[in-house]
Amino acid sequence: MPAKKTSRRARLIVIVVVLLLVAGIGGGTYWGVSTVRDSFPQTTGTLKLKALEAPVSVKRDGSGIPQIYADNSEDLFLAQGYVQAQDRFWEMDVRRHMTSGRLSEMFGAEQVETDAFLRTLGWRRVAEKEYKQLPERTKDFLKAYSAGVNAYLEDHEGSALSVEYAALDLGGKDYKPAPWDPVDSVAWLKAMAWDLRGNMSDEVDRALMTSRLDKDEIEQLYPEYPYDRNKPIVDHGAVDPVSKEFDPKAEPEGDGGQGAANGAGADAGQPGTGGSQGPSEGTGEGGATAGGSGAVNGAQSAGEATQGASTQLGAVAKKLDGIPGLLGPNGSGIGSNSWVVSGKYTTTGKPLLANDPHLAPQLPSVWYQMGLHCRSVDKSCPFDVSGFTFSGMPGVVIGHNQDISWGMTNLGADVTDLYLEKVSDGHYLYDGKEVPYRTREETIKVAGGKDRTITVRETNNGPVISDRDKELRKVGDKSPVGNAAPDRGDGYAVSLRWTALEPSKTMDAVFQLNRASNFSEFRKAARDFAVPSQNLIYADTKGNIGYQAPGRIPVRGKGDGRYPAPGWDPRYRWKGYIPQRALPWEYNPERGYVVTANQAVVDHEKYPYLLTDDWGYGARSQRINDLIQSKIKDGGKISLKDMESMQMDNSSEIAKLLVPYLLKIDVKDPYVREAQKLLEGWDYTQDSDSAPAAYFNAVWRNLLKLAFGDKLPKELRVKGDCLYVAPSDDSGPVDDLSGEERLVRECGQRSADTAQPDGGDRWFEVVRKLLKQPDSDWWKTRGSVRREGDKNRDDLLGHAMKDARWELTSKLGKDIDTWSWGRLHRLMLKNQTLGTEGPGVVQWLLNRGPWDLSGGEAAVNATGWNAAGGYDVTWVPSMRMVVDLSDLDNSRWINLTGASGHAYNAHYTDQTDKWARGEFLKWPYSEKAVAKATEDQMALTP
């Protein structure tokens, strides 16, 4: 049987594309038809793989999504490795180089600083330790997967692997991929954990704010979670003070809240790096940033300690900003939705489960759809699972098997702490003593250049990440500070304590989830899901639903992780981890559904451990709760279509709050009044063709800039945003601005994706409180030669409406009837690496878009955008799925892009149009349904 390598449509596309390929790439060469088509996978016929024990079938549907059938587990995962390499090897190769700090081997000297930072974190080193401690059976699966990838590499190289390799060759990189290793798969979990690491960005931002704001002002920008309005995930239950077990039916006694949290760690287990120090009677000499509400204990205030470290923290923030975020920007806006509804409230009589993780838009999508089926499911081959996984990693991450389904959202636990370190002559100060660093050397190989060698330093709190910036290389040994608080910024080094830098068994948890058959086995698997800490929801074919909060979450001594802590004070050491048995869970809750959307897991006043103080603020979760309640009241039922519609809900929660205030403003300017009228009668939905949505979001963006953005330090503002401001301690030269008071010109340093104020639902809460304080100083702005400053809330709201009118006039034209939200709010899909950093013509060939999108910031349809940077889409529902536990073949799924990572393959972005419209693909699962959907079938034989 001849092998079919591409569809007729794909051949036509290739022909058209080849006609468009221009000369000049790589010095006058060009790509021909064979170069573009070389890497398209064989999807029919027969292929021999000598490592197989028995024949394997690979069945692909019309979207190119593979379903694999095998007689044993090793063959199943070997075939998974082979098939994923067929479709996505470039993506897999870049990921493993990123996680091991070896991007310079592929892309040259421009990646050395990124590699140095990643080597300092040591992801690969930790992954190697994790692999060694995994169960032998899990190692067998990882080895089989690697054998499948390497079987593909044996017969493919250069452009036959992917067209990007041809681009590397033309660029003179002379790069050849090394064989795949099982640790390459394990290390991917570190990238996943990094992008979902919790509040580290908030911790840095709060510290940087001290150069411009006082403690009370900072805390106003980080209000408490509104437990009275936005429900936590688990609204009942308590931890038994003796057994440390969480009982979802118990009622908390007395003050069970976070006041007891830091002392609750006696039975919490031992921390890793550096060992357990336990409580200490040390004096905290030199001062200490404390936790609490940002208060400080010791000789220094929070402002003094964090201002003293502003240079390091600013550079650290800049470095964090530059690390490739394979899942998305880390901040208050990023998140995910998942919810499950019991059969008593569904039209099917069995549970319905929905999930849509919100991650960075990528091409190809971070997710890969597939099914893994043992032909006979038994103990020797227990897998019959389908769903979404990551290229480069065996198993299925989110999906269902024959008995259960599960979904994930980021729990957001605070699992990172930054420590300020006092350093002198090869040592750091701890508990009044000089302790020598642990050091290691790392050699970074550079394509087309000389090797670079770096020295990594570690304290008992973790690696010193501030070493990895050229402006900070004099920190430490060459800048001794002694025991007293330094009088200059470069007197501190900054180290990182992070749970993911300690080995875990998360990889094994994935396989356990894949073969779990009931809630007990699901919870057992969750116990090993250490990092990243995820909200796990559950449903089964018997009608049960549930929730489990897993993860390795630290118990702190002193402090709560809101600000960088004093590394020299042993009272701020971690004491252990929250016992897994104490983490919240529930099974068949009385309310009949579970909603997780990055809101608080449990009321902090009723739970004895500190999970975090930096939750998402519950705008999305409460909207989902309200939508479910509106459906089931008076005996109503929820259908699969209802679940799909809820995922596409575009309602703006901040618009509901703010628009009534905007409509009360007496606007004199008829040009601005014309725009204001758009908000009259608006239903607050953010459809792509909505002019009111466009105008409101422009007002919101300008309000945030006027009230908050212009008052933040340069380290938090977007690059290119330059202001004349009163000088601070680290400001540059003073300029004279047109006769006004002498000011300094400060320009922002953050990328558009991570700058503040980002407009996430934290800012909803900030503005909600301030709307009731019309004379708050936040509403006051500084005037200029041409304009008086705003004196109160209504002045600033009017100013924001005027600025928004002129901004949209410049972007969308004078005629408001032609305005639409989608023209502002656009999605571009960029191929990773070469699609963002490669030559312009290569970017043009590999990237796709734009798409005009509905949805918005903190909407359920969370097509996120950063208000400080603009309206472009910065994160998206990276996939959507709805699982029908009454009939698994009736489930639905959709990916952001397509199955293929090969540009101009028919399945490169063939799902994107449907995804943008809120449509789904059928999700065949049973052998009969898969056979009916199959368009291409390939046999892999020994």
Side-chain angles (χ1 to χ4, degrees):
M1 180 176 179
K4 184 172 80 174
K5 297 197 70 175
T6 185
S7 68
R8 181 178 302 173
R9 176 183 171 217
R11 289 194 187 100
L12 291 174
I13 292 173
V14 169
I15 292 170
V16 172
V17 169
V18 170
L19 293 175
L20 295 174
L21 289 172
V22 298
I25 304 174
T29 61
Y30 65 95
W31 288 340
V33 175
S34 61
T35 305
V36 176
R37 292 182 53 191
D38 264 355
S39 58
F40 287 9
Q42 178 176 332
T43 57
T44 63
T46 301
L47 279 171
K48 290 187 177 295
L49 300 183
K50 58 186 178 183
L52 285 174
E53 294 181 15
V56 173
S57 295
V58 181
K59 301 179 180 182
R60 293 179 183 257
D61 64 11
S63 298
I65 299 169
Q67 304 280 343
I68 299 175
Y69 291 84
D71 290 335
N72 62 75
S73 298
E74 282 80 358
D75 283 354
L76 187 66
F77 294 118
L78 188 149
Q80 182 183 16
Y82 188 90
V83 169
Q84 286 191 342
Q86 279 188 305
D87 284 334
R88 300 278 193 95
F89 184 74
W90 168 261
E91 176 191 11
M92 294 163 60
D93 202 14
V94 170
R95 279 182 183 170
R96 66 167 168 171
H97 278 78
M98 195 276 282
T99 57
S100 58
R102 292 168 47 221
L103 290 169
S104 301
E105 295 178 18
M106 297 183 76
F107 305 111
E110 63 270 16
Q111 295 298 326
V112 168
E113 287 193 10
T114 296
D115 282 346
F117 191 87
L118 294 168
R119 295 285 186 97
T120 299
L121 293 178
W123 293 354
R124 174 77 186 193
R125 291 165 55 86
V126 180
E128 289 170 351
K129 294 176 183 177
E130 285 191 7
Y131 177 73
K132 289 179 181 177
Q133 70 180 29
L134 289 172
E136 288 302 317
R137 196 71 180 124
T138 297
K139 289 181 182 176
D140 290 342
F141 300 157
L142 288 162
K143 290 174 184 176
Y145 181 89
S146 297
V149 176
N150 291 329
Y152 187 72
L153 292 180
E154 287 177 7
D155 297 327
H156 298 79
E157 63 179 17
S159 63
L161 276 174
S162 192
V163 74
E164 290 92 339
Y165 290 102
L168 282 187
D169 289 343
L170 292 170
K173 300 299 184 186
D174 192 28
Y175 168 77
K176 305 295 180 188
W180 194 265
D181 182 274
V183 179
D184 292 332
S185 297
V186 178
W188 165 239
L189 292 169
K190 299 303 162 191
M192 181 181 175
W194 177 254
D195 284 347
L196 302 174
R197 62 191 179 273
N199 81 332
M200 184 173 169
S201 296
D202 289 330
E203 186 177 339
V204 171
D205 287 355
R206 279 190 290 263
L208 291 171
M209 286 178 185
T210 60
S211 68
R212 286 283 172 195
L213 306 175
D214 64 32
K215 182 192 72 176
D216 290 339
E217 290 171 328
I218 294 170
E219 291 304 318
Q220 287 174 37
L221 301 186
Y222 289 87
E224 292 186 357
Y225 184 90
Y227 291 96
D228 58 337
R229 190 175 64 256
N230 295 342
K231 296 177 183 177
I233 297 171
V234 177
D235 54 10
H236 291 85
V239 174
D240 184 283
V242 177
S243 69
K244 298 292 192 297
E245 289 191 29
F246 185 86
D247 181 353
K249 296 181 180 179
E251 291 296 331
E253 297 180 6
D255 181 11
Q258 291 180 14
N262 290 330
D267 188 43
Q270 297 297 313
T273 304
S276 177
Q277 298 295 332
S280 170
E281 297 302 320
T283 61
E285 184 178 20
T289 25
S293 61
V296 172
N297 295 311
Q300 291 173 267
S301 70
E304 289 170 335
T306 51
Q307 283 176 0
S310 61
T311 303
Q312 287 88 338
L313 292 171
V316 166
K318 184 177 179 182
K319 183 57 63 178
L320 297 178
D321 202 17
I323 297 303
L326 289 187
L327 298 182
N330 183 271
S332 63
I334 200 73
S336 304
N337 301 322
S338 70
W339 66 95
V340 59
V341 182
S342 168
K344 68 180 179 180
Y345 291 132
T346 68
T347 58
T348 66
K350 288 289 177 73
L352 294 172
L353 184 150
N355 197 185
D356 55 284
H358 307 157
L359 304 171
Q362 297 181 26
L363 183 58
S365 167
V366 69
W367 297 107
Y368 184 93
Q369 298 153 283
M370 71 188 320
L372 301 170
H373 309 277
C374 294
R375 291 191 177 101
S376 296
V377 179
D378 53 33
K379 288 185 177 180
S380 64
C381 193
F383 299 100
D384 190 10
V385 62
S386 184
F388 294 85
T389 189
F390 301 122
S391 302
M393 203 175 100
V396 167
V397 176
I398 295 174
H400 70 82
N401 60 27
Q402 68 274 31
D403 297 310
I404 77 166
S405 180
W406 67 95
M408 296 185 189
T409 63
N410 195 26
L411 190 147
D414 185 358
V415 296
T416 59
D417 276 340
L418 294 174
Y419 286 89
L420 307 181
E421 307 286 358
K422 294 182 180 182
V423 297
S424 62
D425 193 25
H427 295 73
Y428 62 94
L429 185 69
Y430 179 72
D431 199 14
K433 299 176 182 178
E434 299 288 339
V435 182
Y437 288 109
R438 293 188 299 273
T439 63
R440 69 177 189 272
E441 286 195 346
E442 296 273 354
T443 299
I444 299 171
K445 297 184 180 298
V446 181
K450 295 181 179 179
D451 293 354
R452 311 284 179 88
T453 300
I454 64 168
T455 299
V456 177
R457 301 188 295 176
E458 291 189 10
T459 72
N460 60 353
N461 291 312
V464 178
I465 59 175
S466 57
D467 282 353
R468 296 282 74 86
D469 189 280
K470 63 185 179 181
E471 297 176 1
L472 299 175
R473 288 172 187 162
K474 295 181 181 179
V475 173
D477 299 340
K478 296 182 180 179
S479 298
V481 298
N483 291 340
D487 59 4
R488 59 192 183 280
D490 61 0
Y492 291 127
V494 182
S495 62
L496 171 66
R497 186 75 187 271
W498 178 31
T499 56
L501 298 184
E502 299 160 17
S504 70
K505 294 183 179 180
T506 302
M507 187 71 246
D508 188 51
V510 172
F511 293 112
Q512 291 183 60
L513 280 174
N514 284 194
R515 58 180 182 253
S517 62
N518 55 48
F519 191 63
S520 176
E521 293 176 0
F522 166 80
R523 290 192 68 207
K524 181 176 181 295
R527 283 198 291 272
D528 285 330
F529 208 103
V531 288
S533 185
Q534 298 288 287
N535 295 307
L536 293 173
I537 61 168
Y538 169 92
D540 63 37
T541 55
K542 293 182 180 179
N544 302 298
I545 66 172
Y547 164 81
Q548 176 68 59
R552 179 184 290 161
I553 304 170
V555 174
R556 293 169 175 83
K558 196 174 182 63
D560 65 1
R562 287 176 63 78
Y563 291 88
W568 55 86
D569 187 342
R571 294 176 299 176
Y572 288 82
R573 293 280 293 164
W574 291 2
K575 298 173 65 176
Y577 299 106
I578 298 175
Q580 290 293 300
R581 62 186 179 276
L583 291 172
W585 63 279
E586 56 186 3
Y587 186 56
N588 293 326
E590 186 176 344
R591 83 183 81 87
Y593 58 88
V594 179
V595 175
T596 83
N598 317 111
Q599 79 271 39
V601 170
V602 65
D603 191 330
H604 70 294
E605 293 184 354
K606 301 176 182 178
Y607 189 69
Y609 296 97
L610 174 64
L611 299 174
T612 186
D613 273 334
D614 289 310
W615 304 108
Y617 280 77
R620 282 180 288 108
S621 63
Q622 193 56 45
R623 175 63 177 170
I624 296 167
N625 271 298
D626 292 344
L627 289 170
I628 292 173
Q629 283 290 337
S630 70
K631 278 289 185 182
I632 66 177
K633 68 179 181 181
D634 302 325
K637 301 285 187 178
I638 293 176
S639 69
L640 186 138
K641 279 292 183 185
D642 291 331
M643 299 285 278
E644 294 176 2
S645 296
M646 289 164 65
Q647 286 185 320
M648 295 303 295
D649 182 79
N650 294 322
S651 179
S652 170
E653 297 306 298
I654 186 59
K656 294 175 186 176
L657 173 69
L658 191 55
V659 165
Y661 287 88
L662 297 176
L663 291 176
K664 291 178 181 178
I665 303 299
D666 183 14
V667 176
K668 298 290 194 294
D669 185 337
Y671 199 60
V672 180
R673 172 64 184 141
E674 182 185 32
Q676 184 189 34
K677 285 183 177 180
L678 287 172
L679 303 178
E680 296 176 359
W682 179 40
D683 63 0
Y684 312 121
T685 60
Q686 302 171 95
D687 295 330
S688 63
D689 61 357
S690 170
Y695 182 58
F696 172 78
N697 283 314
V699 174
W700 174 237
R701 166 172 148 80
N702 281 278
L703 179 159
L704 291 169
K705 176 177 170 58
L706 292 167
F708 310 106
D710 290 352
K711 297 163 188 170
L712 296 177
K714 60 184 181 296
E715 293 89 354
L716 273 66
R717 298 200 315 271
V718 71
K719 290 177 183 176
D721 175 20
C722 298
L723 300 171
Y724 284 91
V725 297
S728 64
D729 291 341
D730 59 349
S731 296
V734 177
D735 296 326
D736 192 345
L737 180 63
S738 303
E740 297 189 47
E741 65 180 279
R742 289 170 65 79
L743 303 171
V744 294
R745 187 171 186 266
E746 284 189 350
C747 295
Q749 298 178 351
R750 284 280 177 91
S751 73
D753 290 352
T754 61
Q756 292 292 339
D758 62 16
D761 60 0
R762 170 166 67 88
W763 294 99
F764 293 10
E765 292 303 309
V766 172
V767 171
R768 182 188 300 275
K769 292 178 181 295
L770 291 176
L771 285 172
K772 299 174 184 178
Q773 304 171 41
D775 296 318
S776 167
D777 285 345
W778 288 109
W779 298 119
K780 299 173 183 178
T781 62
R782 189 178 174 281
S784 68
V785 174
R786 295 179 296 274
R787 187 187 185 285
E788 287 188 22
D790 301 308
K791 300 295 191 295
N792 55 39
R793 179 195 65 200
D794 290 353
D795 279 357
L796 190 140
L797 294 182
H799 189 172
M801 285 196 289
K802 179 180 178 181
D803 286 356
R805 174 40 155 143
W806 286 104
E807 181 188 5
L808 294 200
T809 297
S810 68
K811 292 179 182 296
L812 302 179
K814 295 180 180 180
D815 185 357
I816 63 173
D817 291 334
T818 67
W819 289 0
S820 69
W821 175 224
R823 286 176 60 198
L824 286 175
H825 190 53
R826 289 184 157 183
L827 169 68
M828 276 296 302
L829 291 175
K830 295 184 178 181
N831 181 283
Q832 295 302 290
T833 61
L834 295 184
T836 57
E837 302 292 339
V841 67
V842 175
Q843 294 188 40
W844 179 79
L845 292 168
L846 298 179
N847 297 343
R848 299 291 182 272
W851 283 266
D852 296 356
L853 295 187
S854 301
E857 180 59 51
V860 179
N861 182 22
T863 55
W865 54 287
N866 186 304
Y871 304 97
D872 290 341
V873 176
T874 55
W875 55 83
V876 293
S878 54
M879 62 79 158
R880 298 186 185 102
M881 74 176 197
V882 180
V883 180
D884 182 351
L885 276 299
S886 72
D887 179 5
L888 293 171
D889 287 329
N890 193 43
S891 302
R892 299 289 186 266
W893 61 355
I894 194 74
N895 205 349
L896 173 63
T897 60
S900 180
H902 302 295
Y904 302 104
N905 183 279
H907 306 304
Y908 192 47
T909 56
D910 59 328
Q911 296 186 48
T912 309
D913 286 344
K914 290 184 175 67
W915 172 91
R917 294 191 297 264
E919 298 173 3
F920 287 78
L921 299 175
K922 291 183 177 180
W923 185 353
Y925 172 70
S926 69
E927 191 168 7
K928 181 179 179 180
V930 169
K932 183 178 180 181
T934 296
E935 293 196 5
D936 288 351
Q937 183 167 340
M938 179 173 65
L940 302 178
T941 61

